[in-house]
């Protein structure tokens, strides 16, 4: 009866648990999903990115990053830093303004929302009267000018957001002295742009949508200059000295206007359509940058000829005779130029252009000839080809680390050497304790090696497996080739390329041995590649073998994709990981499990049909085992037979989404009246309930049987040196677990090193265990005599682990989706079990052994199981007694892709995708915690020639206010962040469930 | 098919071992059989436990005739007194069916062959509006055969009636276990699965729990049709069978422990060196049981090495044997007291 006692009554253990386990979501790696706004402070040298889910992220020097989240989860439309302050203002699509401040608290800076504000018009006025279209953060730091759809410009005081009504610039006031013939009712509608005079803070330039521009004097409250533009206005930009400004227009033209005291209503200096004469797209933003040599940089977004290049997302840089139209693969959200911000400097001297595209950040070095791109240290586009799998390797030996970096540096020669130009703030986080690699497999057949040691996920090296195969795409098809006199001078930039040449190339499983540098990679069409690290580029033949996993099974027809064609003859490989063995499974189904033993030089692989073992030293297939149930037609036929049902379910889910959209709109309909809202809600609930009753979702309750589909699907493979036959002799063994709850154990005979090439490796089936509950086996592990998991291959040889205890009896841990079970070895008797699903209704999705160190003492650490369930919870389960230690909610259960992408590290951290382009990093350990710790100091304003009336604001900001607990706040924002993500997970879930075969 | 093999008379061992040996000798590891022997009086008597097995071995003289019959087409009437001498009469019975009709043979099956398919348990501790049903799943021949869905039920709370989400049985598969027991019905609300409350759990979670427990599923339901409930207490027979309890009585933890003890039946199977499948034993901490395990293995080895066959075995494949159908009478229906005043929601 003792094991039914509720756990957690041992106070010593409870205390120890507190020293070992702690859950934190620490940092988000990658590129923000659906960015919607960009801001930059030349003063702080910080960049801000807003997203459609209401997140705001600040980036400075590598390691300096902050995150905030608007509670409303509305799209961030605009971001404006307050000049010379650690403050910024965001405008959301619900027309609310938010003031954020970077405050120092216990040694680090943190981003907090200080105030929020929604502009209210006089009673009865239409919503457009207060709809904000343009924001100007005035250099006095005291006020914001808010241009609206109605043409009025409201002035609000900072930080209180008090409307200064007497200072409102009404469109009537602007129109007063307008020439009669130009004056019409609509010329002052919708403020498109507000720009402060660079030398005189009392003058602001106001641009209206219809093309009418005025220079307004704040002191005297009157118009000083009129500029009668005839084209619909997009944006305005002052030249540095304030003598001219430039306006850009909807028709793809830009115009220069002089500003002088003689002419109060000047004519334009020049009007240019850069990509004319045919109709062009709008130029939505323009920069005019002066340089010492007199030739300005004119940089503008858009303006392409409508008919032939209207679909391009471009930014053009014109400098004298040089002109390049940078061509982005995704929509340009916004961009800015980094130039000399010293107020005393005579020229702008632009150094870099920073472009936020929908899917990536591109930085162009404008100082170096040819304008090369700069390799960003963060904000990597993880999804430049969709991520298909990931693999984490902790504590990489320095030698291997350096070799990978050197291989990677040879790939990065076309990047600029410019130091990262956005370098605000100071990273005060301690150096990462060890070198960690995160490997991501992609749809296009590449594997990317990321430095995952610290806060910045940085690309070290990219490996492509494509060269081994013959694909339809021509490898010489270079998008960057530029004809001599091609017009417009387009140049493709960025790495985001979501189109895969051949989906069969997709990487499904990765295994890297950090000691030997052997890498095994397996893909969608049953291909398994074994690679070795080579510091030089080389040309060689890849040994090729086929593994027929069906063996003597008769009468099947594989309806899935064909296997990949291989290249004959030697292939040239660049320095880095170079394949030397290719095994192709037959039928070419997706590889579902992979294991590599670098010491025995063996690689094992499994698909939905069976598994095989390959000796990559002798380049010989050792054996294959078919795991297929003869009646399993679905697995035999391949993925195509499921397409139909997938299509159907997609259609259904789209219909469902459409329906829910309609009802949510209905829901929003209720105005401020609470009872009305309640009524609407009640009605909605009732409707939803009715809908549910009409078409109830049913679940079939049935025990799993051997005839179920995909029971032969090999879920896990494991090498172990253990006692398989008798308790006196241990031997190498291979273990395989299937979807139908079967575990196979093979006894291996690996010849000793001196005869390794002469004698064949032999294998013989020693055991087959059928779990009665038939749930998929997701993990197999052997514990040694001290109940410690067996070390990795070569770990002992490199003195990094104690050699396993071969005296005491070994135990076998089998983890199925439903249960954890410990068996004795060599005679298999069940010893212990934990029935997770029967007790809690959740299933195991991922499981890893993790080492947890105590934060109190250095000499205590223990191994536990880190488990992620289908509900998105993380549980820590002790070894070898299988006691639940602690449980944390981590991922929303609807976020199927997040749960599927989760990967644990060996030291109790983990990563999962929160969007196609972002990894959330979390930590379960008190000891290993990688999180941003950084500080942003307000730089001293050395020489400020701006005329300020007051500068008391600075002190007000510096004044520290009593702030809440940091940790609490962070976890709160984490929760909110999660809440804000992905609207389409329902669709994903549908797809997932269809792919899993459904119930 | 006849087999001869030897057995140590002084150490016959246990019945299970003997049964396993028989299956092994006949190479029918997964076939359920009935074992019988002829005693000195020529009666065919069953062997189905240690006692009668030992008795049988002691009567061997020196040969022991053993009859093995496949369980599905077993002829139960074959057992009993005079069975061997009566054998000819069986034929005459078949030839004169009217005779048979006049005197219906009352079949009393062997106790070991009764196997519970379902049961109502814990009637004494549950409120009468609830019913705790246990479904036993043998092999994979008959599906559990039901579906569940989301729904809402009305609970009585201190604030009045309140609608709460619940899990309901949505469909019974004809011929499935659930339907044939008659203990579960469409629209019954599922309250617990193997002692664990389902409130607050999603449909998928409850599905997973039921499937995980499918070998020995115990579900507590609130039947949609409360009329069929047994009324044990006159106190509640009045107005409201829909009592105010929103959760189950506090005795649940004990019950839970009971369940856990009972349900150790799902043992996995291991095949060693591509040999015979066997159930994985529980690793026992005492050395004694370990010894007994090794003994079994030794016995197996001994038989494989081939002792002199001395016993005669007879596997009866008599296709002509009369298959008897169980006449299952639902005891429920008779003992029911109907109470029309109970309100069902």
């Amino acid at each position: 009866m003792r094991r039914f006692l509720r756990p957690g009554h041992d106070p010593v253990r409870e205390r120890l648990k507190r020293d070992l386990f702690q859950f934190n979501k620490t940092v988000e790696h990658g590129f923000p999903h659906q960015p919607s706004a960009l801001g930059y402070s030349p003063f702080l040298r910080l960049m801000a990115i807003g997203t459609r889910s209401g997140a705001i992220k600040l980036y400075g020097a590598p390691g300096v990053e902050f995150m905030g989240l608007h509670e409303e989860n509305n799209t961030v439309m605009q971001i404006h830093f307050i000049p010379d302050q650690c403050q910024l203002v965001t405008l959301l699509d619900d027309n609310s303004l938010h003031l954020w401040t970077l405050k120092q608290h216990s040694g680090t800076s943190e981003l907090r929302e200080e105030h929020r504000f929604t502009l209210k018009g006089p009673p009865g006025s239409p919503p457009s009267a207060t709809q904000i279209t343009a924001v100007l953060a005035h250099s006095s730091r005291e006020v914001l000018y808010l241009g609206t759809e109605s043409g009025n410009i409201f002035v609000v005081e900072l930080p209180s957001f008090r409307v200064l009504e007497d200072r409102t610039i009404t469109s009537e006031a602007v129109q007063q002295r307008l020439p009669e013939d130009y004056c019409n009712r609509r010329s002052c509608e919708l403020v498109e742009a507000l720009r402060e005079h660079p030398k005189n803070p009392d003058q602001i330039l106001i641009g209206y949508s219809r093309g009418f521009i005025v220079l307004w004097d704040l002191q005297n409250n009157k118009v000083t200059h009129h500029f009668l533009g005839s084209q619909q206005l997009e944006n305005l930009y002052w030249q540095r000295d304030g003598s001219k400004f430039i306006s850009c227009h909807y028709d793809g033209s830009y115009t220069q206007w002089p500003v002088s005291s003689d002419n109060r209503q000047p004519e334009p200096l020049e009007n240019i359509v850069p990509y004319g004469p045919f109709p062009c797209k709008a130029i939505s933003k323009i920069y005019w940058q002066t340089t010492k040599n007199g030739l300005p940089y004119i940089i503008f977004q858009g303006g392409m000829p409508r008919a032939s290049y209207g679909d391009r997302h471009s930014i053009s840089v014109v400098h004298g005779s040089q002109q390049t139209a940078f061509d982005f693969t995704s929509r340009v959200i916004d961009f800015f130029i980094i130039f000399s911000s010293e107020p005393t400097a005579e020229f702008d001297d632009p150094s870099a252009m920073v472009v936020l595209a929908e899917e990536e950040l591109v930085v162009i070095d404008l100082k170096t000839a040819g304008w090369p791109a700069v390799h960003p240290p963060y904000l990597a586009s993880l999804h430049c080809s969709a991520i298909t799998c990931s693999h984490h390797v902790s504590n990489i030996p320095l030698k291997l680390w350096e070799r990978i970096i050197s291989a990677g540096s040879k790939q990065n020669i076309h990047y600029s050497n410019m130091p990262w130009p956005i370098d605000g703030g100071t990273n005060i986080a301690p150096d990462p304790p060890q070198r960690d690699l995160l490997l991501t497999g992609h749809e296009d057949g590449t594997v990317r090696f990321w430095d995952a040691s610290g806060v910045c996920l940085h690309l070290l090296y990219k490996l492509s497996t494509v060269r081994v195969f013959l694909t339809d795409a021509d490898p010489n098809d270079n998008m960057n080739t530029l004809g001599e006199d091609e017009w417009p001078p387009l140049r493709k930039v960025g790495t985001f390329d979501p189109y895969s040449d051949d989906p069969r190339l997709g990487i499904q499983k990765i295994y890297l041995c950090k000691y030997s540098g052997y890498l095994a990679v397996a893909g969608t069409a049953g291909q398994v590649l074994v690679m070795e690290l080579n510091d030089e580029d080389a040309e060689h033949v890849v040994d090729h073998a086929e593994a027929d996993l069906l063996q003597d099974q008769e009468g099947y027809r594989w309806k899935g994709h064909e296997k990949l064609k291989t290249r004959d003859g030697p292939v040239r490989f660049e320095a880095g990981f170079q394949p030397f063995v290719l095994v192709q499974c037959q039928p070419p189904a997706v590889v579902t499990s992979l294991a590599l033993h670098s010491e025995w030089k063996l690689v094992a692989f499994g698909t939905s049909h069976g598994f095989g073992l390959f000796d990559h030293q002798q380049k010989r297939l050792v054996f294959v085992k078919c795991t297929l149930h003869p009646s399993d037609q679905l697995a035999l036929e391949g993925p195509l037979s499921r397409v139909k049902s997938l299509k159907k379910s997609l259609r259904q889910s789209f219909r469902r989404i459409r329906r829910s959209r309609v009802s949510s709109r209905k829901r929003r309909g209720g105005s401020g009246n609470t009872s009305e809202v309640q009524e609407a809600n009640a009605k909605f609930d009732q409707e939803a309930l009715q809908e549910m009753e009409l078409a109830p979702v049913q679940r079939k309750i049935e025990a799993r049987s051997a005839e179920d589909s995909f029971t032969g699907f090999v879920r896990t493979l494991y090498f172990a040196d253990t006692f398989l036959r008798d308790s006196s002799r241990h031997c190498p063994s291979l273990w395989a677990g299937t979807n139908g709850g079967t575990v196979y154990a093979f006894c291996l005979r690996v010849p000793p090193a001196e005869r390794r090439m002469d004698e064949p490796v032999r294998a013989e089936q020693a055991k087959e265990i059928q779990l009665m509950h038939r749930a998929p086996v997701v993990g197999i592990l052997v514990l040694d005599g001290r109940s410690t998991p067996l070390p990795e291959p070569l770990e002992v040889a490199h003195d990094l682990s104690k050699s396993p205890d071969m005296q005491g009896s070994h135990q076998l841990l089998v983890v199925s989706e439903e249960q954890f079970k410990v068996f004795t070895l060599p005679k298999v008797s069940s010893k212990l079990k934990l029935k997770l699903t029967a007790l809690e209704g959740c299933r195991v999705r991922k499981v890893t052994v993790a080492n947890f160190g105590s934060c109190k003492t250095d000499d205590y650490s223990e191994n536990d199981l880190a488990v992620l369930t289908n509900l998105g919870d993380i549980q820590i389960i002790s070894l070898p007694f299988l006691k639940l230690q602690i449980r944390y909610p981590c991922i929303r259960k609807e976020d199927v892709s997040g749960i599927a992408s989760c990967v644990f590290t060996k030291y109790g951290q983990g990563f999962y995708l929160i969007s196609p382009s972002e990894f959330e990093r979390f930590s379960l350990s008190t000891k290993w915690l990688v999180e941003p710790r950084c500080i942003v100091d307000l730089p001293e304003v050395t020489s400020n020639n701006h005329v300020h009336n007051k500068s008391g604001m600075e002190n007000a900001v510096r004044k520290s206010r009593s702030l809440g607990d940091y940790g609490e706040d962070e976890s709160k924002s984490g929760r909110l962040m999660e809440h804000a993500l992905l609207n389409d997970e329902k669709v994903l879930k549908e797809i997932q469930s269809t792919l899993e075969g459904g119930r | 098919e006849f087999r001869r093999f030897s057995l140590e008379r002084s150490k016959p061992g246990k019945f299970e071992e003997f049964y396993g040996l028989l299956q092994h000798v006949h190479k029918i590891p997964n076939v359920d059989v009935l074992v019988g022997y002829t005693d000195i009086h020529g009666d065919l008597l069953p062997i189905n436990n240690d006692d009668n097995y030992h008795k049988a071995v002691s009567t061997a003289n020196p040969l022991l005739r053993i009859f093995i019959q496949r369980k599905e087409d077993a002829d139960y009437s074959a057992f009993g007194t005079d069975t061997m001498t009566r054998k000819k009469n069986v034929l005459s019975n078949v030839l004169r069916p009217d005779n048979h009709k006049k005197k219906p043979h009352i079949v009393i099956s062997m106790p070991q062959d009764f196997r519970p398919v379902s049961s109502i348990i814990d009637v004494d501790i549950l409120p009468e509006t609830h019913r705790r049903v246990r479904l036993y799943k043998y092999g994979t021949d008959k599906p559990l055969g039901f579906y569940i869905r989301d729904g809402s039920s009305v609970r009585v709370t201190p604030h009045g009636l309140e609608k709460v989400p619940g899990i309901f049985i949505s469909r019974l598969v004809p011929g499935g276990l659930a339907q044939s027991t008659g203990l579960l019905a469409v629209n019954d609300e599922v309250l617990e699965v193997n002692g664990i409350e389902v409130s607050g759990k999603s449909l998928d979670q409850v599905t997973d729990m039921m499937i995980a427990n499918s070998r020995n599923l115990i579900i507590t339901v609130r039947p949609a049709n409360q009329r069929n409930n047994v009324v044990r207490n006159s106190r509640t027979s009045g107005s409201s069978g829909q009592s105010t309890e929103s959760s189950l009585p506090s005795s649940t933890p004990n019950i839970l422990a009971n369940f856990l003890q009972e349900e150790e039946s799902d043992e996995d199977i291991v095949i060693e060196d591509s040999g015979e499948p066997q159930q994985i034993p529980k690793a026992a901490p005492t050395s004694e049981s370990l010894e007994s395990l090794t003994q079994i293995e030794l016995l197996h080895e001994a038989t494989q090495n081939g002792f002199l066959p001395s016993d005669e075995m007879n596997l009866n494949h008599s296709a002509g044997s009369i298959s008897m159908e169980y006449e299952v009478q639902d005891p429920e229906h008779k003992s029911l007291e109907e109470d029309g005043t109970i309100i069902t929601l």
Side-chain angles (χ1 to χ4, degrees), chain B residues 117-118 135-138 142-145 173 175-182:
Chain B
V117 174
S118 64
L135 297 176
Y136 303 79
K137 176 120 176 89
Y138 299 97
K142 202 162 194 180
L144 285 173
V173 177
L177 202 54
Q179 194 217 34
S180 36
T181 62

Side-chain angles (χ1 to χ4, degrees), chain B residues 280-320:
Chain B
I280 295 179
K282 254 190 101 66
T286 55
S287 57
E288 193 186 310
S289 66
L290 274 175
E291 265 171 40
S292 73
L293 283 173
T294 47
Q295 269 174 13
I296 300 172
E297 282 185 339
L298 284 176
L299 188 83
H300 271 269
E301 268 170 27
T303 51
Q304 274 164 352
N305 290 343
F307 272 62
L308 265 182
S310 62
D311 284 14
E312 198 187 355
M313 308 289 290
N314 181 8
L315 188 69
N316 192 349
H317 283 300
S318 64

Side-chain angles (χ1 to χ4, degrees), chain B residues 11-149:
Chain B
K11 265 191 269 170
K14 289 192 185 331
F15 169 68
E16 278 90 35
E17 296 162 26
F18 177 68
Y19 188 76
L21 175 65
L22 289 179
Q23 285 185 325
H24 179 79
V25 164
H26 288 272
K27 300 202 167 54
I28 42 163
N30 292 318
V31 180
D32 288 330
V33 291
L34 284 180
V35 184
Y37 73 102
T38 46
D39 74 343
I40 39 170
H41 312 290
D43 293 340
L44 181 62
L45 296 175
I47 304 181
N48 50 21
N49 58 37
D50 286 353
D51 291 338
N52 53 23
Y53 168 57
H54 290 160
K55 175 75 183 161
V57 170
S58 64
T59 59
N61 188 18
L63 280 184
L64 178 67
R65 285 183 75 197
I66 288 175
F67 294 82
I68 301 176
Q69 226 178 343
R70 197 191 285 270
K71 217 169 204 171
E72 294 98 83
D73 40 47
D75 175 9
Y76 292 96
S77 64
F79 290 106
T81 337
D82 278 351
T83 40
M84 287 320 280
T85 49
R86 213 180 59 190
K87 217 175 185 177
K88 298 144 210 151
N89 300 350
V90 175
L91 191 70
S92 61
N93 277 352
V94 177
L95 290 173
R96 283 183 288 143
D98 48 348
N99 177 26
H100 197 69
K101 221 182 249 170
K102 264 178 216 161
K103 238 177 133 186
H105 196 81
I106 294 169
V107 180
I108 297 172
S109 181
M110 298 197 298
Q112 272 68 21
D113 294 323
F114 284 123
R115 47 188 186 104
V117 174
S118 64
S119 53
I120 299 189
I121 56 174
D122 296 332
V123 185
D124 50 340
I125 47 177
L126 282 180
E128 55 263 44
T129 51
H130 296 3
R131 181 187 295 166
R132 189 167 282 162
V133 177
R134 183 167 178 174
L135 297 176
Y136 303 79
K137 176 120 176 89
Y138 299 97
T140 51
D141 44 346
K142 202 162 194 180
L144 285 173
F146 67 100
Y147 289 74
I148 57 171
R149 62 165 171 91

Side-chain angles (χ1 to χ4, degrees), chain A residues 17 23 46 57 85 124 156 159 164 214 246 271 457 485 511 515 517 602 682 694 761 769 779 800 811 887 948:
Chain A
K17 270 155 71 172
F23 180 72
L46 289 179
K57 296 178 165 199
Q85 295 291 328
V156 292
L164 304 172
V214 296
I246 194 161
N271 184 10
L457 194 72
D485 27 59
Y511 190 99
Y515 305 110
L602 296 173
L694 280 175
V761 176
I769 303 169
L800 287 155
Q811 298 171 65
R887 180 197 344 243
H948 294 307

